[in-house]
Amino acid sequence: MTVFIVSGGFLIAFILLSFIDSTMVGNTITKLFGYSVEFFGAYWQLLLLGNFFVGIFLAFSKYGKVRLGNQDKPKYSYYKWVAMILCTLLASGGVFWAAAEPMFHYMDTPPLFGGGSGNVPAAFAQSFMHWGFLAWAILGTLATIVTMYVHYDKGYPLRPRALLYPIFGEKIYKKSILGSTADIVSIVATVAGTLGPLGFLGLQISYGLNHLFGIPNTVTVSIVVVIVLVAIAAISAATGVDRGILFLSRINIGMTILLAGVLLVIGPTLFIIDSFVGGTGFRLQNFFTMSMYRGDSAWLGYWTIFFWGWFIGYAPMLIIFISRISRGRTIKDLIIAVSIVAPLVSNFWFSIVGGTGVFFEIENPGSISNALNEAGMPAAVMAIMDQLPFGVIMAVAFLLVSVVFVATTTDTMSYTIAVTLTGNDHPQKWLRVFWALIFGLTTIMILTIGENSITSIQNSIVITAVPVSILLLPPLWLAPKIAKKMAIDQGIAWEREQLQPRDRKKDY
């Protein structure tokens, strides 16, 4: 109840303050954003890098055979499982950034690669970095191993504070201030992270409706779009994982595959494939240099650190969701699906949408960049669709996919917050619907800040990631310890690898 009152009260207070003095709220968010980038940016870069490589080590070691969730067989097929995972992060990338980010980096080459414009491999490599291996790994690998062990093997509630259980033991669950704080900051960060997809799509569809049908592109229209999205998400969240969320996820992935296939056929097929292969190769060749670049702080704050903050803030609730749907999977299954398969799918989607835009920009300079410069990111998708055969149909199809994507993300996050508050896998319907409504109201308040609403959304995401990033540090060493203990319990590791006496005293 404390977690519910504090987290819900904080967000309601934010909504009221935004309504009373949106300028003050906007300025405060901007100032706190600057501090977050300055003091935590380098730490986040190292955190994501370490999280990825420790996970890869576990996956391809003998501990990769460890089966998670105290269950012998998975409940969901591989396709259904990966579909639900993909529909979380890819939603925000697929609906807003896939078209715009490769174009931005093509128009203005990242400073690491000398600036200027026209560097196609660098443009896609940078986009792939932001939506690739490191980003996905922080969302559900090492921390998921810890969470699933604490919940399914030790029997404790499925909450973010589970990440601290191996350090503090069962007292983290007994009216613990530290435990409650971990849950509260995770909930607030998740709300901030969900504002991004909701707010971005509200602006995207508002622009699209104006571009296609002449409907006024106003904040009011964007707000109406958000209300519709939240209504869909609330209905889906109320039906639970096995019905609404799974149904939307499968529809979502099916529609995306169809749209991607059509774009591949009617778009610049060879250029798209070249962009994916070349961008992936460029990214791998410069993996460590790009991951640890610290040269241009302003650029980092606008791009890499913003994305890392977003994904870190999202992580605790996504970890809970992935834990919920991954019972019976091995550590190797989990790491490969989240850290390798999902990033490659995301990057290929970016190649299809963004590659189409870059191709037409090269063929006809200004065809995409003029709209992007004049109307911002929401214009990118419409400008790209205008260049294709059946452009209006493709644009409507893209907006429809976008709606389903973001509705899926919102209902998933509503469900996981309700799980956090109740501590069980089947929270009350009213609680799931309540958080879907909170997402919508908070997004609407930020949209009313005005023309700088996108900046405010981005900045608020990064700020809330600061405390969460501390919570995600212990799994770097706790996950391997737990994997080793579970391997011994499951007969995968040899007896000579038994834990030392001093370690047996710790109830992992």
Side-chain angles (χ1 to χ4, degrees):
M1 183 59 69
T2 300
V3 174
F4 175 75
I5 293 173
V6 175
S7 56
F10 175 86
L11 292 165
I12 291 171
F14 174 82
I15 293 170
L16 293 175
L17 283 173
S18 298
F19 183 76
I20 296 168
D21 191 345
S22 61
T23 301
M24 180 271 291
V25 171
N27 291 338
T28 303
I29 288 174
T30 300
K31 185 177 293 185
L32 291 175
F33 168 79
Y35 292 141
S36 303
V37 171
E38 180 180 358
F39 295 112
F40 287 88
Y43 163 59
W44 290 352
Q45 288 174 272
L46 294 174
L47 175 66
L48 266 70
L49 197 63
N51 189 85
F52 173 74
F53 278 108
V54 173
I56 293 297
F57 166 77
L58 285 179
F60 293 97
S61 70
K62 67 183 71 178
Y63 305 128
K65 298 177 183 178
V66 168
R67 200 162 291 278
L68 300 166
N70 201 19
Q71 184 169 294
D72 293 333
K73 294 182 180 180
K75 179 178 181 179
Y76 303 104
S77 69
Y78 194 83
Y79 173 79
K80 292 177 181 178
W81 180 54
V82 173
M84 286 191 283
I85 292 172
L86 276 170
C87 286
T88 50
L89 182 62
L90 185 56
S92 48
V95 303
F96 200 78
W97 296 97
E101 187 173 354
M103 269 302 305
F104 270 125
H105 296 318
Y106 171 76
M107 294 158 52
D108 187 6
T109 301
L112 174 61
F113 305 112
S117 62
N119 190 332
V120 175
F124 283 93
Q126 195 67 57
S127 301
F128 294 170
M129 174 187 163
H130 292 154
W131 298 89
F133 306 117
L134 305 187
W136 278 94
I138 199 66
L139 290 169
T141 54
L142 300 184
T144 299
I145 294 170
V146 176
T147 302
M148 291 187 75
Y149 177 75
V150 172
H151 180 59
Y152 293 111
D153 290 78
K154 306 305 294 182
Y156 289 95
L158 196 58
R159 291 173 174 162
R161 69 177 72 189
L163 297 176
L164 300 175
Y165 171 82
I167 299 174
F168 297 99
E170 64 178 11
K171 64 183 179 182
I172 199 69
Y173 279 97
K174 294 183 176 180
K175 295 183 179 180
S176 166
I177 294 177
L178 182 60
S180 297
T181 301
D183 292 347
I184 290 166
V185 298
S186 297
I187 289 172
V188 173
T190 300
V191 174
T194 308
L195 300 184
L198 272 173
F200 297 157
L201 186 61
L203 297 172
Q204 175 75 74
I205 294 182
S206 180
Y207 180 90
L209 292 174
N210 174 259
H211 182 80
L212 294 171
F213 308 112
I215 297 173
N217 182 16
T218 63
V219 172
T220 302
V221 174
S222 297
I223 289 173
V224 170
V225 170
V226 170
I227 291 172
V228 172
L229 284 171
V230 168
I232 296 171
I235 293 170
S236 177
T239 60
V241 173
D242 296 329
R243 296 181 63 188
I245 293 175
L246 177 58
F247 173 77
L248 276 183
S249 297
R250 294 175 67 186
I251 292 292
N252 212 339
I253 294 299
M255 291 172 62
T256 303
I257 291 172
L258 177 62
L259 185 55
V262 173
L263 278 172
L264 267 175
V265 172
I266 68 175
T269 308
L270 293 179
F271 185 85
I272 289 170
I273 294 172
D274 287 346
S275 298
F276 176 69
V277 174
T280 302
F282 196 94
R283 165 66 177 134
L284 293 175
Q285 182 182 4
N286 297 278
F287 191 91
F288 289 100
T289 306
M290 295 176 69
S291 300
M292 295 188 285
Y293 173 69
R294 295 294 302 162
D296 188 327
S297 58
W299 185 91
L300 281 170
Y302 191 80
W303 287 107
T304 303
I305 303 306
F306 157 65
F307 282 120
W308 284 182
W310 190 353
F311 304 147
I312 287 170
Y314 243 167
M317 294 303 151
L318 208 51
I319 289 160
I320 287 175
F321 180 69
I322 294 175
S323 297
R324 168 69 172 78
I325 65 174
S326 299
R327 295 191 69 185
R329 295 286 172 185
T330 65
I331 287 178
K332 187 175 183 179
D333 290 339
L334 176 70
I335 301 297
I336 289 178
V338 178
S339 294
I340 297 177
V341 174
L344 289 176
V345 173
S346 296
N347 291 168
F348 191 58
W349 174 248
F350 269 62
S351 299
I352 292 173
V353 181
T356 302
V358 172
F359 173 82
F360 285 122
E361 180 67 19
I362 293 172
E363 293 291 305
N364 182 17
S367 58
I368 311 298
S369 59
N370 287 345
L372 193 57
N373 288 329
E374 291 170 8
M377 292 193 217
V381 173
M382 295 299 109
I384 292 170
M385 297 303 117
D386 284 345
Q387 311 302 313
L388 293 168
F390 314 107
V392 173
I393 296 175
M394 293 300 296
V396 172
F398 197 96
L399 292 181
L400 182 60
V401 168
S402 301
V403 168
V404 181
F405 253 130
V406 176
T408 306
T409 296
T410 305
D411 67 11
T412 300
M413 293 301 102
S414 302
Y415 167 81
T416 52
I417 289 179
V419 168
T420 296
L421 292 169
T422 60
N424 66 66
D425 295 355
H426 302 285
Q428 299 96 321
K429 289 183 180 180
W430 72 266
L431 196 56
R432 301 176 231 163
V433 173
F434 170 81
W435 283 100
L437 297 178
I438 285 290
F439 287 145
L441 287 173
T442 312
T443 303
I444 289 169
M445 286 301 101
I446 288 188
L447 287 174
T448 60
I449 289 175
E451 60 184 21
N452 294 321
S453 57
I454 285 292
T455 301
S456 296
I457 289 174
Q458 292 179 346
N459 293 353
S460 63
I461 289 169
V462 173
I463 294 165
T464 57
V466 171
V468 175
S469 66
I470 298 171
L471 183 64
L472 295 177
L473 180 61
L476 264 69
W477 63 86
L478 295 177
K481 286 185 176 182
I482 287 173
K484 184 175 182 179
K485 183 182 186 304
M486 294 178 72
I488 294 171
D489 293 342
Q490 295 179 19
I492 294 169
W494 297 103
E495 286 298 320
R496 63 184 176 82
E497 291 180 296
Q498 290 282 357
L499 297 173
Q500 296 299 316
R502 65 168 182 247
D503 291 325
R504 288 199 194 99
K505 295 178 183 178
K506 292 183 180 180
D507 184 14
Y508 291 116

